Amino acid sequence: MTRTNNPIARLLIYLALALFTVYNLLPFSWTILNSIKLPKDANARTPRFLFSPTGENYAELWLNTSPEAFAPYGLLLVLIIFALAVIGFSANRIPAPNSLVYIGIIGAGVLVALGLPRVVNTAEFYDYLINSVIVTIGTLAISLSIGALAGYGLARYRHVVSVYILVIALAFRSLPSLALVLPFYYLGQLSGLYDTHILLILCLVATNQPFTIWMLRSFFMEIPREIEEAAMIDGAGRLRSFLSVIVPIMWPGIITTGLFTLLLAYNDFLLARILTQINWTLPVGIAQWTGGEDPGHVTLAAAASVSTTLPILFVIIFFQKYLIRGLASGAVKG
């Protein structure tokens, strides 16, 4: 693709990109506006752009206590989130491996999330958040562990059996979710795992595992064999060379695959709705306000949608450089 120096052409390109950006941001911007409106403003026949903003929707969504009582804890929570964000963006300046820094940030965030209900009377929607975090992290850890080993093996041992495995994985991934959810439901009932995090994690792993294997295999294919062979000549075994040499090179590809897997697990609705009865996740929790006749459900659904989107938005912004690097090249090309 050649770069144009024509000012009119560049102006048209920027204008088209700006219009496309506005087109994509408009629905979410309207959702944000509805989330801070009163029900009478959100349900008005004529859209109201001038109104008195309120935080009552978020308070009702997350808390069973008054906003005034939550204010000191809320300020402390904002300070903790800000400190973790600063540590994350300054990871390269900390005298420790970046992976350990990121794992520490994730661990600290999980501990804060699990400990908040012990000091604040949170609403039911907070339980949905905890369920989503547990299911997403569990799915991510298992999917990447299995996918990395399987993708590495299929990339290095090229045989007709590998082709069969890849084709079977692709065929399984192409099946609609409705074809799998009923067998998963019966297995959950027979095993006694129905309405548990374990069942939902295992089912999400089974559903998304072909995707992680295919994607990680494509990244492993870009890494020359000579790199690990040099490590094995120096005395490292196959597993040691994989963990110490290949995985550090593969970090952009692993993070890229992990982000897609995270989105698939975090936003899943069908499996979470059928395989759980009480331990709902965020997408299922939002659905209880989207089809009601109560006018207040519109603003609550908007607040829930914004609250569900923000964590993923922060994760994407935080890992965007790895995502771009992984999508652009994946790894070292031989």
Side-chain angles (χ1 to χ4, degrees):
M1 181 181 293
T2 59
R3 180 172 180 156
T4 179
N5 294 320
N6 190 326
I8 298 178
R10 292 170 65 89
L11 178 62
L12 292 176
I13 291 174
Y14 289 136
L15 181 61
L17 291 175
L19 291 175
F20 183 74
T21 303
V22 171
Y23 173 78
N24 284 278
L25 291 178
L26 187 59
F28 187 63
S29 300
W30 185 251
T31 302
I32 294 176
L33 289 177
N34 278 341
S35 70
I36 56 176
K37 288 181 179 180
L38 294 173
K40 64 177 182 180
D41 295 324
N43 292 279
R45 288 180 176 271
T46 303
R48 295 183 180 177
F49 296 95
L50 298 177
F51 57 90
S52 298
T54 178
E56 293 180 0
N57 299 315
Y58 290 96
E60 182 180 350
L61 184 70
W62 292 104
L63 301 173
N64 283 330
T65 184
S66 63
E68 292 78 12
F70 177 73
Y73 303 103
L75 179 60
L76 180 60
L77 184 62
V78 170
L79 293 176
I80 293 174
I81 294 175
F82 178 76
L84 293 178
V86 171
I87 294 173
F89 285 111
S90 306
N92 293 329
R93 301 180 181 180
I94 298 176
N98 287 353
S99 57
L100 293 179
V101 175
Y102 296 146
I103 292 174
I105 292 173
I106 294 173
V110 172
L111 290 177
V112 171
L114 294 177
L116 186 62
R118 298 181 179 274
V119 295
V120 179
N121 188 9
T122 55
E124 190 177 21
F125 196 76
Y126 190 84
D127 297 333
Y128 301 155
L129 173 64
I130 298 300
N131 293 334
S132 290
V133 170
I134 294 173
V135 170
T136 302
I137 292 179
T139 303
L140 193 63
I142 298 176
S143 295
L144 290 182
S145 300
I146 298 175
L149 295 173
Y152 175 75
L154 293 172
R156 288 295 180 260
Y157 299 98
R158 302 176 186 177
H159 192 269
V160 66
V161 178
S162 301
V163 177
Y164 291 150
I165 293 175
L166 290 171
V167 171
I168 293 172
L170 182 62
F172 183 80
R173 184 67 182 88
S174 63
L175 291 174
S177 299
L178 286 174
L180 303 173
V181 68
L182 288 181
F184 289 153
Y185 175 82
Y186 288 127
L187 287 175
Q189 293 286 352
L190 293 174
S191 62
L193 295 176
Y194 179 73
D195 196 26
T196 62
H197 297 139
I198 297 176
L199 176 64
L200 188 54
I201 290 173
L202 294 178
C203 293
L204 287 172
V205 168
T207 304
N208 299 322
Q209 195 65 75
F211 167 78
T212 59
I213 292 175
W214 267 91
M215 195 164 185
L216 288 173
R217 175 184 174 274
S218 65
F219 286 113
F220 282 121
M221 294 285 288
E222 299 291 339
I223 301 178
R225 291 172 175 265
E226 290 76 11
I227 294 179
E228 62 202 82
E229 290 175 355
M232 288 188 285
I233 290 175
D234 291 337
R238 173 71 69 176
L239 182 60
R240 175 104 179 252
S241 64
F242 171 75
L243 296 176
S244 302
V245 179
I246 303 300
V247 170
I249 297 175
M250 271 285 297
W251 266 122
I254 293 175
I255 292 177
T256 302
T257 307
L259 288 176
F260 283 108
T261 304
L262 182 145
L263 291 174
L264 291 172
Y266 186 80
N267 294 323
D268 181 81
F269 173 81
L270 183 63
L271 290 177
R273 180 64 185 90
I274 296 178
L275 299 180
T276 58
Q277 187 175 8
I278 298 176
N279 295 315
W280 287 355
T281 56
L282 288 175
V284 183
I286 295 175
Q288 64 182 313
W289 293 303
T290 56
E293 298 179 357
D294 189 341
H297 286 177
V298 175
T299 54
L300 284 176
S305 299
V306 174
S307 301
T308 302
T309 305
L310 289 180
I312 294 298
L313 186 62
F314 289 142
V315 170
I316 296 297
I317 293 175
F318 189 74
F319 289 106
Q320 63 175 337
K321 60 179 181 179
Y322 298 101
L323 178 63
I324 295 172
R325 193 187 310 170
L327 291 176
S329 59
V332 178
K333 293 185 178 181

